[in-house]
Amino acid sequence: MVVGQHTVIRTAERDDARFLRAAYLGPVPRASLLDARKEPVQPTRDELEELLGSKENARGLFYAVEDRDGGVAGFCGLRGVNQEALFAEVFFLFLSPEMEAGEGGCEAVRFVLGQAFDRLHLAKVTILALDIETGLSALLSKTGFVCEGAQRQAVYMRGGWHDVQTWTCFRGDAVVSDNLQGERHALQD
Amino acid sequence: MPFKTDAIIRRAERDDLDTVVGWMSEPDFQYFLYGDPAQSPRQIRERIVSMLGRAPGQTMPGGVQLLIDSPSLGPVGLVALQNISWRNRSCSLDIYIGRAHLRSRLVTAVAVLRALEYAFDELNLHRVGAFIYAFNTASWRIFEMAGAKRELVLRRQVLRDGVLHDVYGYGVLREEFDEARRVRSRLVESASLEAMVAALPPDNPEPGA
């Protein structure tokens, strides 16, 4: 468990499935929740419980983000780690726009970047974002990510076409908080 | 379609298995596309069998494997329309020309155009995308000629020979492909032997003239 100034970040558990399902069913479409063909999926709670109880999750790559009151406010993590080219895809799912726009969102991003660059020694991370995920784009901009372009009209949703942006952050470009880093190492030790 | 060769594109079949296994085992295939050099031919064969297998009736296939074939040249290469999304009307495109000496020839460009025609005119797709390594200049130039736009530059994304290379993400929308097709048609319609002769430098007499 990592205690930050605005969040508590811990490995996600089976019991978090209902919160994760809320992200799938929420009003905001998210690129992170699309499948390989960029189609939305609606997993059942059982399927999500299975996912959160899987071996990959046990390796500590899927995290729940709690607010300071102990409520689950979102999820973050890494997937598709490519050891050869030293990159992975990251994801951030916040259940409220306030968390995404606030310091809590920044803390979650910094935590994941710390995991990617310091723990796994990756060289870069990437993340997909729909053009309508403006809150996520703003968060990525201020934490060191750079947009490397957008796949135009790649997703048809709610009666219209949407672009899928690819954002990248290289090891040297990450805006990582020393405060959170220090606290994490202290707690993990 | 102004460019013509005798190459056709047809659905890959079980009889093509040995040819396709041979291509996918080549170092060039793994260098320009994907694959693990450590894979055994048997593993590659099993993977291809699953790719070539027909989807059950009444279901929408998630991918289509096509073979570029020619009466004069024999099997030339492989076209894979993958990750077909019938909801988004999109897919990704991979092309491999097994005959190395034909890679910079007209047949390759025509195969790309034919594959895109199939995707847009027959499958009624809206968008075709492709990820091409930056060092594979011939491939991305052919895509640009077909109307595709470079949408992404993924820096230092793929490792080849110990060096990280950029990967370009290309996408072509149906109207862009149609426009590129119209431009090509106009070019051919406006071309004439008289215009070509007139365009020759005046001090360039024909040999023997």
Side-chain angles (χ1 to χ4, degrees):
Chain A
M1 188 159 67
V2 179
V3 181
Q5 285 184 317
H6 305 275
T7 59
V8 174
I9 300 174
R10 58 169 173 78
T11 303
E13 299 167 348
R14 293 177 73 97
D15 291 347
D16 297 319
R18 65 192 174 102
F19 299 106
L20 183 55
R21 187 144 191 269
Y24 277 96
L25 300 178
V28 185
R30 302 159 194 269
S32 295
L33 299 180
L34 302 176
D35 68 9
R37 295 173 300 164
K38 297 189 175 61
E39 294 189 2
V41 288
Q42 291 201 341
T44 64
R45 192 165 153 178
D46 286 346
E47 289 167 341
L48 293 175
E49 283 181 357
E50 192 175 329
L51 167 77
L52 293 176
S54 68
K55 282 182 182 173
E56 176 156 321
N57 189 43
R59 286 207 305 269
L61 299 174
F62 200 128
Y63 303 96
V65 182
E66 293 181 359
D67 57 26
R68 292 310 299 253
D69 298 328
V72 175
F75 297 89
C76 60
L78 299 96
R79 60 189 174 194
V81 176
N82 183 327
Q83 291 291 358
E84 184 188 65
L86 294 177
F87 74 86
E89 187 180 343
V90 296
F91 62 91
F92 304 101
L93 302 167
F94 297 104
L95 300 180
S96 75
E98 292 77 20
M99 173 63 83
E100 192 169 57
E103 281 302 309
C106 291
E107 266 187 11
V109 174
R110 290 170 192 146
F111 168 76
V112 170
L113 294 181
Q115 294 293 92
F117 298 137
D118 299 339
R119 181 181 156 203
L120 298 175
H121 304 290
L122 301 178
K124 77 168 187 174
V125 294
T126 63
I127 181 171
L128 301 180
L130 290 169
D131 52 5
I132 48 177
E133 289 183 274
T134 51
L136 177 60
S137 301
L139 174 62
L140 297 172
S141 284
K142 66 184 177 188
T143 48
F145 282 81
V146 173
C147 183
E148 300 206 304
Q151 293 171 269
R152 298 162 304 145
Q153 301 185 17
V155 173
Y156 190 82
M157 196 180 279
R158 300 181 179 186
W161 294 105
H162 296 285
D163 300 348
V164 179
Q165 302 165 346
T166 299
W167 293 74
T168 298
C169 182
F170 283 88
R171 184 199 299 265
D173 300 334
V175 181
V176 180
S177 157
D178 290 339
N179 183 29
L180 186 65
Q181 287 280 303
E183 213 166 352
R184 174 169 61 84
H185 290 311
L187 285 166
Q188 283 183 338
D189 292 343
Chain B
M1 173 60 64
F3 302 135
K4 287 186 178 171
T5 71
D6 67 351
I8 58 163
I9 288 183
R10 61 171 172 80
R11 183 152 180 161
E13 297 173 358
R14 297 259 172 166
D15 290 346
D16 302 312
L17 193 57
D18 290 338
T19 305
V20 177
V21 170
W23 288 338
M24 290 184 76
S25 306
E26 290 174 3
D28 273 3
F29 187 96
Q30 288 147 13
Y31 191 82
F32 289 111
L33 287 171
Y34 43 75
D36 181 356
Q39 270 192 327
S40 70
R42 181 180 170 178
Q43 288 171 317
I44 294 174
R45 184 176 291 266
E46 285 171 357
R47 183 177 167 195
I48 296 168
V49 167
S50 68
M51 285 163 60
L52 299 185
R54 285 188 178 279
Q58 309 300 322
T59 63
M60 311 286 266
V64 178
Q65 318 302 324
L66 303 166
L67 208 78
I68 307 164
D69 204 352
S70 158
S72 59
L73 302 168
V76 172
L78 186 68
V79 178
L81 302 175
Q82 307 199 86
N83 288 324
I84 298 177
S85 165
W86 299 102
R87 175 191 173 113
N88 297 323
R89 289 173 48 216
S90 67
C91 74
S92 60
L93 177 68
D94 287 332
I95 288 193
Y96 183 69
I97 303 298
R99 303 285 189 92
H101 67 285
L102 295 175
R103 283 178 195 156
S104 58
R105 303 283 287 274
L106 183 62
V107 66
T108 304
V110 172
V112 171
L113 296 172
R114 290 269 184 263
L116 290 171
E117 281 180 337
Y118 178 71
F120 290 120
D121 298 346
E122 303 301 326
L123 299 183
N124 192 26
L125 298 183
H126 172 72
R127 171 196 158 86
V128 176
F131 286 96
I132 307 172
Y133 304 150
F135 57 78
N136 194 357
T137 309
S139 285
W140 54 258
R141 286 212 168 129
I142 288 173
F143 264 79
E144 288 182 349
M145 187 190 75
K149 304 281 189 291
R150 188 183 297 173
E151 300 172 327
L152 296 171
V153 178
L154 303 173
R155 293 169 293 157
R156 289 178 275 164
Q157 179 81 3
V158 65
L159 187 72
R160 290 291 183 270
D161 298 332
V163 177
L164 284 168
H165 296 272
D166 294 351
V167 174
Y168 297 150
Y170 275 89
V172 55
L173 305 179
R174 185 191 197 116
E175 60 263 27
E176 293 168 344
F177 180 69
D178 286 343
E179 178 57 25
R181 187 157 43 182
R182 274 193 291 273
V183 169
R184 284 197 305 276
S185 299
R186 279 202 296 270
L187 283 175
V188 170
E189 281 166 9
S190 64
S192 69
L193 187 58
E194 290 82 359
M196 288 184 212
V197 171
L200 286 172
D203 56 348
N204 189 19
E206 287 182 35

